[in-house]
């Protein structure tokens, strides 16, 4: 939940994450399994590349005429008896939903999985209003029980082992301890089923909103979104303005790629098409349906020609799984509901300046760009955001050493104009660091270089290679050697 | 508080003078339904069955329309079902299925022709308490093993959501090749006017160490029977 993060928190948290080898083991194994499944379903689906390109073209087009599409969507939803509310900011969206829940006398809110509700920090606000709010996606349910935010946008409890979850259930529900996923899931099913049946207010996010038909599409595997939008009398769908696509026939192109990259499935178990409240005599669906369309920084992203591309994201989570930084420090270290590469480019706009340091938390290796189903050039956007951040009149509060790093960079920039001097200094440095090298790596050096070697190992210079290759994070190298 | 015109104005501003390409027409690439021969259908049914099994669904195969009721009643009896919930069919007569179930001594909850708003909560509970929910799909997708169910007053989609065992019938004429063909077949009108759900296998999760577990919120098992309406 949106704690107010500080840059120093990020450094502390990422160091803690980097030191947690158990966490890395969990992330490595989960990511490896995901990438394996993904490779399988991608290879057997020959139109994959075409679908990727088409999906991107549709998004590009949709963003270019987003104003018209929002008008069209709103008209259609209103025709279907939805109440559409526009929120310029997270505060407005949160206030609207809390007020609505209070007015309808809601006591039990059930929530399907929604990153946007995390973005606006909805749960604490509902709780403050005395309303019980229950996360019903199994992973979200687990992290909510632990009082933690999710650590991955697709697999919220990726940082926990089955034993951790077994203990959690044992402690919270006083059931006998079991680490078996089947039994733990059955326990959650029983508890959540009862909560669904008595829930009076449901909330979910939205994956795609089709302007042509006024349809909100929610994809999921468990059925929590389906339950939350079927049973409660009042239902709220919360979506960012960028979720709109023009036509119904655009949708299949996204469905063909989303599940493949997100979970290695051909299609998710449930693809829900929601249109409005139920008709007379209908059993399913709410009596009242509200659609909250939120800007909260998105129109500013749209106006930035480089950053605009990040609004094409379909939140598949694949870039997290391939990211060496994410796999090393875990999602919590990012201190944003949106972690990983995509989080690093959208958080500064959606969460605020407190996450302005995230674009710097990347090695720019480009793995995210390669895997992204809609070809978002994340490294380019990261560089763009770094440039924006450092050239802004009030750069973010960096840890105390930052000014020295900047001064160093400035000096380097000046020297770099004289390649001969650089080469000469390189030779001197190679001689000076030699005593610290061990097995071809420099693992620790005295101050003032200690800060550098604390978090990174440096390849020892070899004759004829005065400029070392990019250094790797400590235990990544340890894992390799 | 913002309203539509504020948001549109912000977006318009943000877009500024950037080019707004034409809306490219992107075709649905599914083959039209009537172009399929009996052979094509049999092939689609085989592919559908294969894909359904790969998502942990139970493929019951193809049967003639007059055999469907007996097949489902037998399945219900075998799996120890005591209560089954059933709605109206799309093309198939579900009345016969209800009768066959009752002959097996299974009590049947009929959701057609619709519910009274006052009884809604109770009806939802009764559907949730049924051991098996029986419904007919409006369309099925061969390439993914998916069923498309359209929710109406007499065919609520909670029949395929709340009971732990879900049985879905589908007429062989309603099999299509891929997602695009399904969306095109259902059509903008149907989708604008009804809740539609695409169902691909039983409810599942991989939230605990990425291990797949079935039946988190929705059905734990999904059985699909394809019905061949003619003698061919
Ligand atoms: S940026 Fe691309 S890879 Fe990352 S979550 Fe979004 S769509 Fe997926």
């Amino acid at each position: 939940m949106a704690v107010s993060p500080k840059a120093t928190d990020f450094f502390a948290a990422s160091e803690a994450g980097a030191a947690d080898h158990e966490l890395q083991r969990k992330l490595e194994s989960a990511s490896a399994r995901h990438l394996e499944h993904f490779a399988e379903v991608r290879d057997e689906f020959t139109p994959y590349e075409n679908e990727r390109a088409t999906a991107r073209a549709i998004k590009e087009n949709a963003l270019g005429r987003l104003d018209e599409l929002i008008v069209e969507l709103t008209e259609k939803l209103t025709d279907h008896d939805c109440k559409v509310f526009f929120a310029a900011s997270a505060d407005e969206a949160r206030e609207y939903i809390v007020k609505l829940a209070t007015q309808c006398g809601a006591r039990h809110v059930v929530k399907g999985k929604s990153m946007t509700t995390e973005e606006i920090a909805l749960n604490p606000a509902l709780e403050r209003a005395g309303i019980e709010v229950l996360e019903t996606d199994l992973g979200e349910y687990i992290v909510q029980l632990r009082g933690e935010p999710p650590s991955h946008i697709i697999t919220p409890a990726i940082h926990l082992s089955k034993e951790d979850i077994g203990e959690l259930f044992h402690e919270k529900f006083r059931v006998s301890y079991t680490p078996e996923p089947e039994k733990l899931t059955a326990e959650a099913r029983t508890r959540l089923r009862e909560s669904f049946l008595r829930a009076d207010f449901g909330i979910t996010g939205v994956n795609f909103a089709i302007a042509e038909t006024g349809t909100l599409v929610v994809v999921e595997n468990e059925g929590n979104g389906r339950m939350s939008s079927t049973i409660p009398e009042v239902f709220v769908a919360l979506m960012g303005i960028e979720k709109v696509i023009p036509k119904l026939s655009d949708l299949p192109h996204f469905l063909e790629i989303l599940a493949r990259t997100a979970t290695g499935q051909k299609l998710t178990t449930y693809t829900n098409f929601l249109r409005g409240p139920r008709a007379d005599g209908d059993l399913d669906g709410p009596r009242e349906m509200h659609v909250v369309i939120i800007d909260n920084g998105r129109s500013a992203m749209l106006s930035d020609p480089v950053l605009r591309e990040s609004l094409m994201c379909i939140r598949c989570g694949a870039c997290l799984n391939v990211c060496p930084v994410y796999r090393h420090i875990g999602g919590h270290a990012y201190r944003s509901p949106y972690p990983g590469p995509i989080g690093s480019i959208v958080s500064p706009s959606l969460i605020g300046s407190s996450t302005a340091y995230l674009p710097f938390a990347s090695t720019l290796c480009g793995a995210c760009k390669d895997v992204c189903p809609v070809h978002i050039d994340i490294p380019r956007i990261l560089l763009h955001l770094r440039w924006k951040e450092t050239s802004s009149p009030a750069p973010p509060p960096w840890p105390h050493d930052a000014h020295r790093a900047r001064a160093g960079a400035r000096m380097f920039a000046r020297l770099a104009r004289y390649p001969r001097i650089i080469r000469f200094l390189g030779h001197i440095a190679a001689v000076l660091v030699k005593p610290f090298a061990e097995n071809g790596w420099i693992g620790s050096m005295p101050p003032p270089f200690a800060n550098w070697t604390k978090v990174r190992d440096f390849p020892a210079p070899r004759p004829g290679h005065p400029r070392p290759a990019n250094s790797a994070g400590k235990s990544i190298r340890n894992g390799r050697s | 508080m913002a309203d539509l015109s504020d948001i549109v104005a912000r977006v318009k501003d943000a877009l500024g003078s950037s080019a707004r390409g034409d809306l490219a027409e992107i075709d649905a690439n599914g083959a039209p339904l009537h172009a399929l021969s009996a052979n094509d259908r049999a092939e689609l049914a085989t592919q559908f069955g294969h894909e359904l099994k790969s998502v942990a669904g139970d493929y019951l195969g193809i049967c003639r329309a007059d055999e469907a009721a007996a097949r489902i009643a037998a399945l219900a009896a075998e799996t120890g079902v005591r209560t089954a919930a059933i709605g109206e069919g799309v093309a198939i007569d579900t009345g016969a299925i209800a009768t066959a179930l009752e002959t097996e001594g299974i009590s049947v909850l009929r959701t057609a022709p619709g519910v009274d708003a006052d009884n809604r909560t109770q009806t939802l509970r009764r559907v949730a308490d049924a051991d098996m929910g029986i419904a007919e799909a409006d369309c099925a997708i061969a390439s993914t093993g998916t069923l498309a169910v359209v929710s109406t007053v007499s065919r609520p989609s909670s029949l395929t959501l709340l009971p732990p065992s879900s049985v879905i019938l589908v007429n062989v004429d309603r099999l299509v090749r891929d997602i695009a063909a399904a969306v095109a077949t259902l059509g903008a009108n149907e989708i604008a006017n009804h809740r539609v759900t695409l169902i691909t296998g039983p409810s599942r999760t991989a939230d605990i160490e990425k291990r797949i577990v079935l039946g988190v919120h929705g059905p734990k098992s999904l059985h699909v029977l394809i019905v061949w309406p003619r003698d061919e």
Side-chain angles (χ1 to χ4, degrees), chain A residues 371-424:
Chain A
V371 81
C372 176
V374 285
H375 291 292
I376 298 175
D377 192 343
I378 297 175
R380 173 169 177 248
I381 301 172
L382 288 167
L383 284 173
H384 174 71
L385 290 173
R386 289 181 186 185
W387 169 78
K388 268 177 92 164
E389 202 46 61
T390 44
S391 53
S392 86
W398 281 91
H400 54 283
D401 287 338
H403 65 278
R404 293 223 302 260
R406 258 193 230 115
R410 257 196 304 274
M411 197 196 300
F412 180 79
R414 246 180 315 210
L415 286 172
R417 270 181 266 157
Y418 310 97
R420 242 192 271 167
I421 298 185
I422 288 283
R423 225 171 294 137
F424 176 65

Side-chain angles (χ1 to χ4, degrees), chain B residues 104-167:
Chain B
E104 289 283 347
I106 293 165
S107 75
V108 176
L109 167 68
R110 290 177 175 78
T111 56
V115 296
D116 190 335
D118 299 336
N119 291 334
R120 181 175 175 261
T121 319
Q122 273 163 306
T123 312
L124 280 171
R125 280 213 180 250
R126 288 174 63 207
V127 173
D129 287 340
D131 304 309
M132 180 179 267
I134 302 165
E136 185 184 348
D138 288 71
C139 155
I141 307 170
S143 67
T144 52
T146 301
L147 299 143
V149 294
V150 176
S151 189
T152 70
V153 170
S154 51
R155 295 186 273 130
S157 86
S158 28
L159 289 175
T160 58
L161 175 64
L162 299 175
S165 166
S166 170
V167 175

Side-chain angles (χ1 to χ4, degrees), chain B residues 16-60:
Chain B
S17 55
S18 60
R20 33 182 79 204
D22 309 323
L23 186 53
E25 275 295 330
I26 294 148
D27 290 334
N29 38 13
L33 273 181
H34 47 79
L36 295 180
S37 68
N39 262 349
D40 291 341
R41 287 187 196 293
E43 192 194 299
L44 285 187
T46 311
Q47 190 189 1
F48 173 84
H50 173 80
E51 294 300 334
L52 179 69
K53 283 186 225 159
S54 77
V55 291
D58 174 29
Y59 180 52
L60 300 172

Side-chain angles (χ1 to χ4, degrees), chain A residues 36-58:
Chain A
E36 219 171 87
H37 290 160
F38 168 51
E40 247 166 62
V41 294
R42 180 196 53 206
D43 293 346
E44 67 183 18
F45 183 63
T46 40
Y48 183 70
E49 289 305 324
N50 275 338
E51 293 290 14
R52 262 176 114 176
T54 311
R56 181 180 167 97
I58 295 168

Side-chain angles (χ1 to χ4, degrees), chain A residues 153 313-319 342 371-374 376 378:
Chain A
I153 61 177
C313 172
I314 55 174
R315 302 279 188 271
C316 75
C319 55
I342 180 62
V371 81
C372 176
V374 285
I376 298 175
I378 297 175

Side-chain angles (χ1 to χ4, degrees), chain B residues 70-85:
Chain B
R71 285 289 295 274
I72 290 171
L75 173 75
E78 257 166 51
T79 50
V81 167
R82 284 179 308 177
T83 322

